[in-house]
Amino acid sequence: MTTSTRGPVRPDGTPIDKEAVRRKYLEERDKRLRADGNDQYLRLTGELAGYLADPYTSRVEREPKTDHVTVAFIGGGFAGLVTGARLKEAGIADVRIVEKGGDFGGTWYWNRYPGAQCDTASLIYMPLLEETGHMPTEKYAHAPEILEHCQRIGKHFGLYDDALFHTEVEDVEWDPEGSRWVVRTDRGDVFTATFLAMGTGPLHVPKLPGIPGIPSFRGHSFHTSRWDYAYTGGDPSGAPLENLADKRVALIGTGATSVQAVPHLAGACAELYVFQRTPSSVDVRANAPLDPEWFASIATPGWQRRWLENFTATQTGAGDGEDLVMDGWTDLARRMRERVLSLPPEQQTLAGMQAAMEDADFEKMEEIRARVDAVVADPATAEGLKAWYRQLCKRPCFHDEYLDAYNRPGTHLVHTDGKGVERITENGLVADGREYEVDCIIYASGFEVGTEYTRRAGYDVTGKDGVTLSERWADGMRTLHGTHVHGFPNLFVVQPTQGANLISNVPHNLTESGRTIAAIVRHVLDTGSCEVEVTAEAEQAWVELLLTHPGRGVIGSPDCTPGYYNNEGQDAGLRAKLNVGYPAGAAAYFTYLDGWRSSGEFEGLTFR
Ligand code: NDP
């Protein structure tokens, strides 16, 4: 591989042996590769279905709906809220959001574990701040504030009026006679909608690790997305988990959720055992309250869109160097950009640029590993907490108390070196042949990602020729812009893939989709049409464009340690190739989409 001008160095200035680090990365990946990939995880059905129960809101009985609405939206998270808001702004009075949780919020409804917080800066992560006139309290908002903001959006735009909570869609079918969708739910609803939009979220179906014996455990257990405060004490705003003072607790998993929960558990439990299969990279958080005076100075009309565009440009290397957010997400991108720009002309090749980016990554990861040594007192624990992969191989984490939590008496890292927990017994867990007896097991084991869209959604959609969405997408997703599917008129899918695919700030994708959908619905209604559908040719042309994508770089690479970013290390074939965004990048996509939408032509869609 070509080398960039200045070789990468450690924080102490010594050179990094790149070959040795690359070798170590591959060794650590190989330890974790397993043939069963996504199939290793357990679905929460049958005897495990109890893990899905909603601990936060009780179910309210109601009469089934049998009416008609202009727009039905499945999912009451950010996707439904921002699309609903844009539709209301466009004058669509009846927008019905159907949500399986007991309120709006989506991921922020479910994830109320202690310490839950967003890793993306609140000024760009929390949608519609300008419209609702809200100033976040912190650079990185905590979960209760984000949930409250979801409720604020719901109230501000009148989305509560027609919402159906604790309602799961079971089936959706196109009625060609009436040019409308028929929606059936688990509450006996059978209602119709002229338009149907779906924003069911990428990470909302909790999964359990594939560890034998889970049902045999006789103590207490729950998944982090259904936190049992009745058992632990405390509350989502961070009150101490006082009921755990005499409890031995096991936490399985060390992803982004665990990193935030561990500091709270460490102080509260009699003994805390954190079972780690793969360490997360944990960079600096540096959270701070937002200063109202400073906020007033930046919050001039159009401010949030400027910030969104700046973050996206900085993240994707398309910026002019100005970085408004300045954080861990933009830091690596800034470093890569600086290295690439400093390359001499003869090294300004694809290989030269990749080498420069890898050098920036080596330095970043050495800093993150050096931070572990600087904070964690016990050398063996520190060694176990070091992440040996490129920063974007797995979801990067940011925290200033996580590593220090391992210095507390009673907090133990059980580093299984890639093997994970062997089995669960009546009394506890077995790892590396040793049994750990505990009172409670908390599963911080994440959510289904690599499974089929319709399996995760919990329902299938039958389009105009009787073909279901799962049949249509059997070999991978096919859309225009990630939103429109041929054969499925008046349907909008709201999610990032095949659009901008910007995963460091998902709401930016959703905000733009909401704007687009509102413009299309308005156009259909204003022109007296009944149906809008993407043509087969336009969909095919978009898919072909996506297939020219150079690949997702580090994210999704088979060289990475397995995880949901790379389909657990398994080649997903065409599905993976289609699981990309606009080849020219997120910033270019948003510019393109803006032009496509504002022209009023909606090229590729037919209206009839
Ligand atoms: P993850 O999927 O990221 O983590 C699951 C954890 O469970 C991993 O550490 C995994 O190990 C571990 N695990 C799986 N199987 C076993 C096993 N058999 N034995 C031991 N450990 C096992 O889930 P999270 O809930 O942490 O996060 C999901 C996503 O949600 C994040 O990636 C992020 O996108 C989002 N999130 C965002 C937050 C934010 O913005 N602040 C906060 C929390 C979550 P391994 O790595 O080896 O697979």
Side-chain angles (χ1 to χ4, degrees):
M1 188 177 271
T2 322
T3 46
S4 63
T5 40
R6 178 179 63 78
V9 292
R10 295 197 179 79
D12 64 6
T14 56
I16 295 171
D17 179 345
K18 299 199 282 190
E19 268 317 310
V21 177
R22 279 190 202 115
R23 243 189 343 265
K24 171 86 171 155
Y25 284 3
L26 290 179
E27 276 165 24
E28 293 292 328
R29 176 203 64 176
D30 290 348
K31 276 184 202 169
R32 293 166 172 83
L33 279 176
R34 37 192 289 174
D36 52 1
N38 279 310
D39 293 337
Q40 69 183 282
Y41 299 108
L42 301 179
R43 275 190 92 176
L44 299 181
T45 53
E47 62 183 337
L48 299 178
Y51 282 98
L52 288 176
D54 180 352
Y56 311 125
T57 319
S58 9
R59 181 181 152 117
V60 178
E61 291 310 320
R62 64 168 174 80
E63 289 300 309
K65 295 280 181 190
T66 52
D67 54 353
H68 178 83
V69 290
T70 304
V71 183
F73 197 105
I74 306 175
F78 278 173
L81 289 166
V82 297
T83 308
R86 293 293 180 230
L87 286 163
K88 289 277 182 158
E89 281 175 344
I92 316 300
D94 53 338
V95 177
R96 171 171 295 157
I97 297 181
V98 185
E99 164 56 43
K100 70 179 173 181
D103 199 343
F104 290 131
T107 202
W108 301 104
Y109 175 82
W110 295 109
N111 288 286
R112 305 185 189 198
Y113 59 84
Q117 182 185 20
C118 185
D119 278 338
T120 303
S122 52
L123 292 183
I124 54 163
Y125 181 77
M126 291 167 70
L128 307 178
L129 287 174
E130 205 170 341
E131 289 81 347
T132 53
H134 178 68
M135 182 195 95
T137 60
E138 302 175 280
K139 180 161 184 178
Y140 303 95
H142 279 80
E145 181 172 344
I146 306 176
L147 177 57
E148 200 183 306
H149 186 60
C150 292
Q151 293 160 343
R152 177 178 300 111
I153 295 172
K155 287 177 200 147
H156 187 91
F157 291 96
L159 296 169
Y160 275 99
D161 301 347
D162 222 349
L164 303 179
F165 295 117
H166 277 154
T167 303
E168 293 196 46
V169 171
E170 291 189 325
D171 169 59
V172 182
E173 192 180 358
W174 177 247
D175 164 17
E177 307 299 315
S179 291
R180 58 192 186 172
W181 290 98
V182 182
V183 182
R184 296 186 183 84
T185 76
D186 66 347
R187 294 288 201 119
D189 307 304
V190 186
F191 66 89
T192 54
T194 312
F195 301 93
L196 177 76
M198 322 194 293
T200 50
L203 294 156
H204 69 108
V205 181
K207 66 181 194 234
L208 288 187
I211 305 171
I214 288 179
S216 65
F217 181 59
R218 286 199 306 214
H220 195 70
S221 64
F222 56 89
H223 187 274
T224 46
S225 67
R226 305 288 189 277
W227 194 273
D228 189 350
Y229 282 104
Y231 178 84
T232 63
D235 64 33
S237 62
L241 308 168
E242 73 276 0
N243 299 352
L244 297 180
D246 59 349
K247 301 283 189 296
R248 299 157 302 170
V249 175
L251 182 70
I252 301 185
T254 48
T257 297
S258 173
V259 164
Q260 295 181 334
V262 161
H264 292 261
L265 288 165
C269 306
E271 302 289 334
L272 173 67
Y273 298 96
V274 182
F275 289 84
Q276 174 179 268
R277 192 164 70 170
T278 309
S280 280
S281 71
V282 186
D283 202 356
V284 171
R285 166 72 307 156
N287 196 14
L290 288 186
D291 171 13
E293 248 177 69
W294 171 82
F295 181 73
S297 73
I298 63 122
T300 53
W303 74 266
Q304 197 172 26
R305 197 160 184 183
R306 285 197 299 278
W307 274 65
L308 285 168
E309 285 171 1
N310 176 270
F311 178 79
T312 301
T314 309
Q315 266 287 88
T316 54
D320 56 7
E322 187 192 21
D323 180 358
L324 294 173
V325 169
M326 290 283 279
D327 73 356
W329 289 109
T330 57
D331 181 46
L332 183 64
R334 266 188 286 115
R335 289 176 189 222
M336 287 180 174
R337 185 174 185 275
E338 277 160 25
R339 274 196 170 262
V340 167
L341 289 179
S342 68
L343 285 175
E346 69 278 9
Q347 285 187 29
Q348 305 250 349
T349 58
L350 180 62
M353 288 192 264
Q354 283 172 341
M357 292 195 264
E358 189 192 29
D359 284 352
D361 199 306
F362 279 136
E363 288 190 343
K364 181 81 201 175
M365 288 305 291
E366 283 296 332
E367 283 173 24
I368 289 174
R369 289 189 285 265
R371 184 174 185 234
V372 181
D373 281 328
V375 176
V376 179
D378 174 53
T381 305
E383 216 40 49
L385 287 166
K386 289 181 189 166
W388 291 100
Y389 43 80
R390 290 182 66 167
Q391 196 190 18
L392 297 179
C393 271
K394 285 174 85 80
R395 167 61 153 73
C397 296
F398 308 89
H399 212 287
D400 294 337
E401 286 91 40
Y402 173 71
L403 296 170
D404 192 35
Y406 291 97
N407 293 328
R408 298 184 82 123
T411 301
H412 317 278
L413 176 74
V414 184
H415 177 48
T416 65
D417 199 19
K419 294 187 282 294
V421 175
E422 270 167 46
R423 70 198 143 86
I424 303 232
T425 63
E426 283 185 2
N427 302 316
L429 312 83
V430 178
D432 252 343
R434 174 184 159 188
E435 181 167 15
Y436 297 80
E437 291 199 358
V438 294
D439 303 294
C440 175
I441 301 178
I442 304 174
Y443 292 98
S445 45
F447 304 86
E448 287 192 20
V449 176
T451 51
E452 272 179 27
Y453 181 87
T454 45
R455 164 172 154 173
R456 279 178 284 130
Y459 59 87
D460 213 336
V461 183
T462 308
K464 70 175 187 190
D465 300 318
V467 175
T468 62
L469 196 55
S470 52
E471 287 165 345
R472 197 63 227 298
W473 286 356
D475 298 325
M477 196 174 163
R478 288 176 175 269
T479 67
L480 171 70
H481 303 164
T483 310
H484 315 278
V485 189
H486 181 64
F488 295 79
N490 295 9
L491 175 80
F492 307 105
V493 189
V494 186
Q495 52 80 49
T497 310
Q498 300 196 352
N501 211 27
L502 178 71
I503 59 165
S504 52
N505 189 19
V506 171
H508 192 176
N509 306 266
L510 307 178
T511 310
E512 288 304 308
S513 291
R515 220 186 278 279
T516 307
I517 291 164
I520 296 170
V521 168
R522 194 64 269 168
H523 185 79
V524 173
L525 299 178
D526 289 349
T527 53
S529 315
C530 298
E531 295 182 17
V532 53
E533 184 183 353
V534 59
T535 64
E537 297 73 31
E539 185 187 88
Q540 181 60 21
W542 191 255
V543 166
E544 279 166 21
L545 177 72
L546 296 170
L547 291 173
T548 66
H549 196 287
R552 294 168 69 196
V554 174
I555 298 179
S557 163
D559 290 342
C560 281
T561 300
Y564 76 81
Y565 272 17
N566 71 347
N567 196 42
E568 300 294 337
Q570 293 195 323
D571 181 7
L574 181 61
R575 278 171 171 269
K577 290 199 180 72
L578 291 171
N579 196 13
V580 293
Y582 191 57
Y589 175 76
F590 290 133
T591 307
Y592 156 79
L593 187 70
D594 200 21
W596 182 86
R597 183 175 57 215
S598 331
S599 75
E601 300 288 319
F602 306 109
E603 197 186 336
L605 302 186
T606 47
F607 296 86
R608 48 184 179 256

